[in-house]
């Protein structure tokens, strides 16, 4: 099953953050997302204007609420930067990659 077809799972802590080969395998399933310092995922999305960028942020916000997993979003004229990590463990879990894949499907709309 693709990452976008999976559901995010709430993290209650006490699990190790993904590292090494696990990160590489999950990152290979995403387009354009960077793993930064083994800590978080990051991607920049470009838009023709502020209104389109804002509409994307609102769609991602609805997605995040459905998934129960929330990215950090930075909105500027013509661009949105997304950062994702699991705050409970201060690192990456599979749910972060699932959310990234789902955000990409929102961008394609």
């Amino acid at each position: 099953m693709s990452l976008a077809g999976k559901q995010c799972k709430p993290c209650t802590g006490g699990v190790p953050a993904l590292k090494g080969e696990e990160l590489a395998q999950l990152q290979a399933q995403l387009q354009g997302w960077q793993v930064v310092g083994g800590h978080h995922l990051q991607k920049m999305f470009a838009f023709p204007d502020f209104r389109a960028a804002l509409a994307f942020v609102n769609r991602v916000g609805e997605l995040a609420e459905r998934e129960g997993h929330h990215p950090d979003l930075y909105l500027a004229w013509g661009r949105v930067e997304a950062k994702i990590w699991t705050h409970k463990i201060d690192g990456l879990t599979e749910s972060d990659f699932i959310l990234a894949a789902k955000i990409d499907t929102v961008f394609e709309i």
Side-chain angles (χ1 to χ4, degrees):
M1 175 182 292
S2 73
L3 286 171
K6 295 181 176 183
Q7 291 295 121
C8 294
K9 295 178 183 139
C11 180
T12 57
V15 298
L18 297 173
K19 295 191 182 315
E21 186 59 32
E22 291 174 307
L23 283 180
Q25 287 178 358
L26 288 166
Q27 184 181 14
Q29 297 177 56
L30 299 175
Q31 292 267 326
W33 287 89
Q34 298 174 338
V35 173
V36 179
H39 176 263
H40 63 273
L41 295 171
Q42 182 173 318
K43 185 172 181 177
M44 185 72 70
F45 296 88
F47 299 90
D49 54 34
F50 185 83
R51 180 172 292 198
L54 178 60
F56 174 72
V57 166
N58 288 328
R59 288 192 307 269
V60 170
E62 291 298 321
L63 167 67
E65 283 297 302
R66 284 192 307 272
E67 291 296 316
H69 196 44
H70 302 87
D72 287 358
L73 301 171
Y74 172 76
L75 169 65
W77 192 98
R79 73 177 194 266
V80 174
E81 179 183 4
K83 291 183 181 178
I84 306 169
W85 72 95
T86 300
H87 295 214
K88 201 77 151 165
I89 63 166
D90 199 28
L92 290 165
T93 65
E94 183 183 36
S95 289
D96 300 308
F97 290 86
I98 291 169
L99 184 61
K102 288 178 182 267
I103 289 172
D104 282 345
T105 66
V106 170
F107 183 66
E108 294 169 359
I109 294 175

